Amino acid sequence: MARGIMDLERAHLFQNYARYPVVLERGKGSYVFDTQGRRYLDLITGIGVNALGHAHPRIMKVIREQSSRLIHSSNLYYHPYQGRLAERLTKMSGLDRVFFANTGTEAAEFALKIARAHGRSIHPQKYEIVSLDNSFHGRTLGALSITGQPKYRTDFEPLLPGVKFVPINDTAALEAAVNERTAGIFLELIQGEGGIFPLTHEYVLKARELADRHGALLVADETQCGVGRPGRYFAYQLATSPIVPDVIYAAKPVACGIPLGFVIASERAAAAIKPGMHGSTFGGGPLACRVSLEFLDILEELLPSIQEKGGYFKSRLEDLARKHACVKEVRGFGLMLGMELTIPGKQIVLDAISAGLMINCTHETILRFLPAYIITEAEIERGIKILDKLLRKADSAR
Ligand SMILES: Cc1ncc(COP(=O)(O)O)c(C=O)c1O
């Protein structure tokens, strides 16, 4: 059966994904099950989307109720949940105005349009964007234009003009790149796809200063590092004196697998967007918004435990790093963790699947862990035990 499903896809789908040879059928909590009934501990959760694990009873209940009432209404009309969710997000972030999209890349597109419109409202030549090397902001052409990784960009060039890339945590390079023509500085507080690289407080502070000095917007992409994953609502809130961006955007876990993304902006940044300048057919539909409200209620209860469990997971990964020569470093905050290897990680990911563990490898050598916020210590231990064995095998094969 699994073979037939894979062959059918191979015959009819674009071959843009390099899938692992597993056909998933269902999930429960931190586990997923394939069509053969095999169980896997899920430490990647659909790349950070299934934040409450699989089949969470409260999320299922809300989906059931709302899908029998109204799934979609378009943005021609009001529904009861968009305003409530927007209010909630402004309270969580300290910013003022919200737009709903469906995905991270779409949210990035609107953030870019805000920066461009903001710049243009000051001067027609104020359209440059400063972004970071090794960043990832999405696959649409705008988001790709500010993604600092040639492997994603090259086939589609030329992309948007006026984008400068600077190395992360290099304040001098950042200072040299930002000027009066800069409309926005885009950054991920913790680079995710790039391999779990946190920005230093000093660097973010410099970005804030430069944005203020040159009338540019500071934009934080919290798609992977935010919405509870770092143990705070947003990664910029990890600092003891948080540096508040002008614009934040996110997607992934926001509605636990129902597509939903958002952009939150300060009143000053939002002022550049006038009626008719942006929109979305699906964005902020009643089902997605209602699920998201339920998710945020649950997140409030879970937030203190995310830092605690993340700290525990990180310390156990560090134990493995001390034990295994093939591990170079462990990085990350909360439940967004990475383990950099001295060897390619692909075989470890494949061996992990055979051993009943779902993890992911980014940038060839960095194992990435984005578990569900409901993960237990016992489940973390189970993952560590499997990893320990896999790393031992990798050590001996070196
Ligand atoms: C930081 C960041 N921004 C944007 C995106 C794009 O999100 P999506 O795949 O939902 O378009 C991702 C996806 O991994 C991401 O990690």
Side-chain angles (χ1 to χ4, degrees):
M1 180 165 124
R3 172 64 40 209
I5 291 169
M6 291 188 242
D7 288 345
L8 189 65
E9 284 210 1
R10 214 163 287 130
H12 299 292
L13 262 75
F14 272 89
Q15 293 300 292
N16 55 316
Y17 293 117
R19 295 199 206 286
Y20 294 110
V22 182
V23 182
L24 294 180
E25 195 170 54
R26 66 190 176 89
K28 183 77 194 141
S30 283
Y31 287 93
V32 281
F33 298 81
D34 69 14
T35 43
Q36 261 107 44
R38 268 195 301 258
R39 186 174 84 142
Y40 304 85
L41 177 63
D42 185 3
L43 297 187
I44 189 66
T45 60
I47 324 187
V49 169
N50 300 306
L52 299 181
H54 302 274
H56 191 286
R58 282 173 62 182
I59 296 297
M60 285 196 310
K61 181 166 179 283
V62 166
I63 291 177
R64 220 177 279 130
E65 271 175 25
Q66 188 58 37
S67 62
S68 67
R69 294 167 69 88
L70 191 67
I71 293 176
H72 171 74
S73 56
S74 88
N75 282 299
L76 290 173
Y77 313 104
Y78 294 92
H79 67 71
Y81 305 108
Q82 219 182 94
R84 276 174 55 193
L85 182 58
E87 181 188 40
R88 187 83 178 253
L89 292 171
T90 57
K91 284 197 177 130
M92 283 162 55
S93 63
L95 296 177
D96 305 307
R97 294 205 174 267
V98 179
F99 172 82
F100 290 107
N102 304 285
T103 60
T105 201
E106 255 185 85
E109 292 296 323
F110 186 48
L112 264 172
K113 283 175 80 174
I114 296 171
R116 280 287 195 92
H118 166 83
R120 200 176 166 80
S121 72
I122 299 168
H123 192 281
Q125 293 304 314
K126 191 174 177 61
Y127 63 83
E128 288 184 0
I129 302 294
V130 173
S131 187
L132 306 190
D133 285 344
N134 197 44
S135 56
F136 186 82
H137 296 289
R139 306 281 198 154
T140 47
L141 287 174
L144 205 53
S145 300
I146 58 164
T147 287
Q149 299 190 48
K151 69 177 176 191
Y152 294 120
R153 303 163 47 88
T154 313
D155 291 320
F156 306 101
E157 286 172 343
L159 296 169
L160 279 186
V163 181
K164 291 181 188 165
F165 292 101
V166 292
I168 77 164
N169 296 334
D170 180 340
T171 49
L174 185 63
E175 186 144 22
V178 180
N179 59 40
E180 289 307 304
R181 292 163 69 112
T182 309
I185 304 173
F186 279 64
L187 38 87
E188 295 161 83
L189 274 292
I190 309 165
Q191 290 189 331
E193 200 279 339
I196 319 292
F197 286 103
L199 301 187
T200 61
H201 185 69
E202 188 199 7
Y203 190 73
V204 184
L205 190 61
K206 177 58 79 180
R208 180 70 275 173
E209 272 172 33
L210 290 167
D212 290 342
R213 194 190 307 160
H214 296 290
L217 298 179
L218 181 62
V219 183
D221 181 345
E222 295 261 359
T223 304
Q224 191 165 148
C225 64
V227 205
R229 187 156 291 284
R232 295 276 188 272
Y233 287 129
F234 298 107
Y236 76 86
Q237 294 165 340
L238 280 167
T240 30
S241 16
I243 297 154
V244 184
D246 302 298
V247 179
I248 300 166
Y249 63 91
K252 288 198 185 282
V254 178
C256 299
I258 308 285
L260 183 67
F262 61 74
V263 179
I264 325 176
S266 66
E267 204 66 76
R268 181 176 74 100
I273 301 300
K274 306 282 188 298
M277 281 172 69
H278 197 60
S280 165
T281 298
F282 287 105
L287 178 68
C289 286
R290 192 163 165 209
V291 170
S292 187
L293 280 164
E294 186 70 11
F295 164 60
L296 295 178
D297 278 346
I298 300 169
L299 178 61
E300 216 165 281
E301 296 161 24
L302 286 177
L303 214 46
S305 72
I306 292 175
Q307 275 213 338
E308 206 178 291
K309 282 187 286 197
Y312 178 73
F313 193 0
K314 191 175 183 188
S315 74
R316 296 294 286 127
L317 289 173
E318 284 165 346
D319 290 341
L320 294 183
R322 277 188 287 276
K323 212 166 139 186
H324 297 286
C326 67
V327 180
K328 189 172 157 200
E329 194 183 26
V330 172
R331 297 187 288 269
F333 288 94
L335 290 170
M336 179 178 185
L337 297 168
M339 174 182 261
E340 183 162 355
L341 306 173
T342 57
I343 52 167
K346 188 166 178 213
Q347 192 55 45
I348 295 185
V349 174
L350 286 166
D351 290 347
I353 292 172
S354 304
L357 178 68
M358 294 296 192
I359 54 173
N360 158 264
C361 179
T362 184
H363 277 239
E364 312 278 314
T365 56
I366 300 156
L367 301 182
R368 180 168 48 165
F369 308 96
L370 302 172
Y373 304 171
I374 48 124
I375 195 165
T376 63
E377 254 185 47
E379 286 162 349
I380 291 171
E381 273 312 312
R382 186 183 165 83
I384 292 290
K385 203 167 148 193
I386 298 172
L387 268 175
D388 191 14
K389 273 197 202 137
L390 300 175
L391 294 171
R392 195 178 317 135
K393 184 179 155 203
D395 273 345
S396 57
R398 264 156 50 101

